[in-house]
Amino acid sequence: MIDIKLKAREEKRVSAGHLWIFSNEIENLDKTAQPGTLCRVLSSDGRTVGHGYFNPATLIAVRLLKRGPEPLEDDFIFEYIDNAYTYRKEIGIRKYGRMVYGEADMLPGLVIDRYNDILVIDILTAGMELLKDDILKAVKKIFKPKGVLLRNDNSFRAMENLPLKQEIIGTVPETLTVEENKVKYEIPVLDGQKTGFYFDQRENREFLKPYFKDKLVLDLYSYVGGFGVYAAANGAAQVWGTDSSALAVEYANKNAELNGVADVAVYRRDDAERILSAMGKKELPDQPDMVLLDPPPFVKNRKSLPQAIQLYVKLNRMALEGLEPGGYLATSSCSHHITREVFVDIIRQAAFKAGKRVVMLELRGAAKDHPVLVGMPETEYLHFALLQVR
């Protein structure tokens, strides 16, 4: 373990609960250290403010695993994962859901999703990569999975100079089935997006349940039909879904069949902006009275934030323009660069540009298995709103 000393007055953010230390906050940055090396973090006057791991080659040079002067326990990985799972069990998440959510569980750079007896793990940083054996040992003891898939294909790994290569331990099938709110989803776990399914929208899907009844629903950026199939299974009159991915569309249609709603929910590969444009011109065969808009995280980094905001405004504006009075828009953003304040401002701009009177009925975040760490706003990345045109 090495010592990392902060410059004067640079410990304030850490003391307030943040777990990242940037390279320009460190005195005499040692660029020869092995990426991921465990470290002790010292204030400028020599006090221990925390322990974490160090990567001299990245902007976020230290990610803290523990705040305060006390050292890390020998089996801290097991303890942290076990604590994270205990919390999930307390909120009723056992078989399907996010078991470890990075910084919020004091395990920065580690994501673990559970699909019954299969675990899908994303190791995003060099520090967690060095702890991989401890992680695997802990999850085998705690969850006793039949198989573990190390996705390890996230672009964050490239930033840490880590290989983008999947690894399977035990038996992992090509597809898995998720059960959520009495709806089943088959997902392409090896080739799908992220870890295969978006558990973070679980409670938002459930929240929308009473609004789906008898609605004509347009499901954009549908992926495998998380929202749209749920709408069809809960009283929607018709669901039309689109995604740019042929694989996503294939599985969305499979999931409609799996839940007996293939006559209600129909998916095809298409461009969301083209569909919204046609909706605004009333060129669609039927005019939707509810739009589900769950686009990808357009913000790749802080520099791309202004362009991403413009795109989010455009998509929301087009959706609002196409809705008649009484129509609903359920809209989301999923990047930690888009704060709640920015998200609300995107909605305001979109409503203004659409020339519509819009009411915000609900403003929500991610499901509770994605807890927000107070003091670290980056953990609050998902924003969701239900709007109605009046």
Side-chain angles (χ1 to χ4, degrees):
M1 181 174 291
I2 63 174
D3 284 348
I4 300 293
K5 191 173 183 179
L6 300 178
K7 295 178 182 178
R9 295 181 295 279
E10 294 292 1
E11 70 273 12
K12 290 183 179 180
R13 188 164 41 78
V14 172
S15 298
H18 209 277
L19 301 182
W20 294 348
I21 295 171
F22 295 95
S23 57
N24 62 358
E25 298 171 333
I26 296 173
E27 187 176 286
N28 300 322
L29 185 72
D30 180 5
K31 296 187 177 182
T32 65
Q34 180 186 7
T37 300
L38 289 176
C39 66
R40 181 175 62 153
V41 180
L42 306 175
S43 65
S44 59
D45 59 4
R47 292 177 294 107
T48 300
V49 298
H51 293 77
Y53 57 79
F54 174 60
N55 189 338
T58 55
L59 177 62
I60 304 173
V62 176
R63 297 175 190 261
L64 289 179
L65 296 160
K66 189 173 186 177
R67 293 171 57 231
E70 296 299 320
L72 290 166
E73 296 80 2
D74 291 339
D75 58 349
F76 75 93
I77 287 290
F78 176 86
E79 179 184 332
Y80 287 8
I81 295 176
D82 193 48
N83 288 343
Y85 184 42
T86 296
Y87 163 70
R88 271 66 179 186
K89 289 186 288 186
E90 288 174 351
I91 62 172
I93 305 297
R94 293 175 178 268
K95 290 186 177 181
Y96 303 97
R98 179 141 296 178
M99 300 294 119
V100 170
Y101 173 43
E103 283 80 356
D105 291 303
M106 297 302 294
L107 289 163
L110 179 64
V111 171
I112 301 177
D113 281 357
R114 187 179 190 183
Y115 297 86
N116 198 3
D117 53 8
I118 302 294
L119 296 179
V120 181
I121 298 178
D122 256 346
I123 294 176
L124 305 174
T125 59
M128 280 296 158
E129 185 74 17
L130 291 182
L131 295 166
K132 183 173 76 171
D133 290 344
D134 290 338
I135 293 167
L136 292 174
K137 181 180 177 181
V139 299
K140 288 177 182 178
K141 186 174 181 179
I142 294 168
F143 299 104
K144 300 177 176 58
K146 290 184 179 177
V148 175
L149 170 63
L150 294 162
R151 275 295 297 246
N152 292 352
D153 55 2
N154 194 296
S155 60
F156 283 110
R157 285 180 62 87
M159 296 169 60
E160 299 262 338
N161 292 317
L162 296 173
L164 304 180
K165 184 179 180 181
Q166 290 187 8
E167 182 180 350
I168 293 176
I169 300 168
T171 302
V172 177
E174 291 186 7
T175 64
L176 296 172
T177 300
V178 175
E179 294 182 30
E180 179 185 289
N181 301 326
K182 299 181 180 179
V183 176
K184 293 182 179 181
Y185 302 94
E186 186 179 348
I187 61 166
V189 69
L190 298 180
D191 300 314
Q193 299 173 16
K194 300 294 185 178
T195 65
F197 192 68
Y198 291 96
F199 290 117
D200 53 4
Q201 292 278 23
R202 178 195 306 106
E203 293 169 19
N204 296 329
R205 286 188 278 266
E206 178 72 6
F207 163 76
L208 288 177
K209 182 177 179 178
Y211 295 94
F212 289 137
K213 187 170 175 57
D214 299 326
K215 295 294 190 299
L216 302 177
V217 179
L218 179 61
D219 182 15
L220 300 174
Y221 302 101
S222 61
Y223 187 41
V224 297
F227 275 103
V229 172
Y230 187 79
N234 284 281
Q238 186 68 53
V239 177
W240 304 279
T242 66
D243 197 282
S244 61
S245 164
L247 182 67
V249 169
E250 175 188 347
Y251 276 85
N253 283 315
K254 282 185 179 181
N255 289 328
E257 293 178 11
L258 183 63
N259 290 277
V261 293
D263 57 331
V264 177
V266 178
Y267 289 85
R268 73 178 189 186
R269 188 180 184 185
D270 214 323
D271 177 72
E273 288 191 48
R274 193 194 76 80
I275 295 297
L276 284 172
S277 177
M279 178 184 170
K281 297 174 183 177
K282 300 190 185 305
E283 294 175 350
L284 298 179
D286 291 288
Q287 198 70 4
D289 45 29
M290 185 173 197
V291 177
L292 305 172
L293 183 60
D294 187 17
F298 297 127
V299 190
K300 301 301 182 184
N301 50 55
R302 193 169 293 278
K303 289 182 180 179
S304 66
L305 182 58
Q307 288 181 317
I309 289 174
Q310 290 179 13
L311 183 51
Y312 281 122
V313 170
K314 179 182 179 181
L315 291 170
N316 282 277
R317 185 260 302 166
M318 294 175 75
L320 292 171
E321 283 177 342
L323 287 168
E324 299 294 333
Y328 293 96
L329 169 61
T331 183
S332 303
S333 74
C334 57
S335 169
H336 74 259
H337 293 291
I338 302 285
T339 64
R340 177 159 291 208
E341 291 75 17
V342 171
F343 178 65
V344 171
D345 190 58
I346 286 170
I347 292 170
R348 290 195 187 105
Q349 291 187 55
F352 173 76
K353 292 184 177 183
K356 296 291 183 78
R357 177 173 171 244
V358 177
V359 175
M360 185 182 294
L361 301 179
E362 189 86 3
L363 182 61
R364 302 169 60 88
K368 293 180 184 63
D369 53 354
H370 295 65
V372 174
L373 179 63
V374 175
M376 192 156 186
E378 291 84 355
T379 56
E380 187 183 17
Y381 72 97
L382 179 67
H383 306 291
F384 171 95
L386 178 64
L387 313 175
Q388 187 179 39
V389 176
R390 295 282 177 89

